[in-house]
């Protein structure tokens, strides 16, 4: 619970900091180059950071996920027990016929 609270507080502080940095960049760029250029630069920056974060999230560690899939058993124990019972029932039915 403490870890979640600290992470939430840290995230809130980062968001507030980004808001103030965005505002200061807007003021600086709009006075130097105009509002249209300021909006374009700030929007391009956030879009670029967002695309980089998406690419990093999608790239991930593929080798680790492959190992996790390979280590799974073929059938869960319940399924193995069901199949064993089905086989026994089928063989008993064949013997009777």
């Amino acid at each position: 619970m403490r870890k979640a609270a600290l992470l939430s507080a840290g995230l809130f502080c980062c968001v507030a900091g980004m808001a103030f940095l965005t505002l200061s960049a807007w003021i600086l760029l709009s006075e130097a180059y105009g509002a249209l250029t300021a909006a374009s630069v700030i929007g391009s920056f956030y879009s670029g950071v967002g695309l980089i974060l998406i690419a990093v999230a999608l790239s991930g560690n593929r080798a680790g996920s492959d190992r996790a899939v390979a280590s799974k058993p073929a059938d869960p124990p319940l399924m193995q027990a069901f199949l064993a019972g089905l086989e026994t029932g089928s063989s008993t039915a064949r013997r009777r016929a």
Side-chain angles (χ1 to χ4, degrees):
M1 187 68 150
R2 182 174 183 232
K3 185 177 181 180
L6 289 174
L7 284 172
S8 297
L11 181 63
F12 177 75
C13 289
C14 285
V15 168
M18 287 301 295
F20 280 107
L21 287 173
T22 301
L23 181 62
S24 67
W26 174 267
I27 292 169
L28 177 75
L29 290 171
S30 66
E31 286 186 9
Y33 301 104
L36 182 62
T37 303
S40 299
V41 169
I42 293 172
S44 298
F45 172 76
Y46 280 124
S47 296
V49 170
L51 289 173
I52 290 170
L53 291 175
I54 290 170
V56 168
L58 292 179
S59 69
N61 186 3
R62 300 279 183 210
S65 63
D66 291 341
R67 277 185 275 148
V69 170
S71 67
K72 286 185 180 177
D75 293 323
L78 181 64
M79 181 63 81
Q80 290 175 353
F82 173 75
L83 292 174
L86 187 65
E87 246 181 76
T88 304
S90 297
S91 65
T92 305
R94 276 188 244 134
R95 280 190 234 146
R96 288 185 184 177

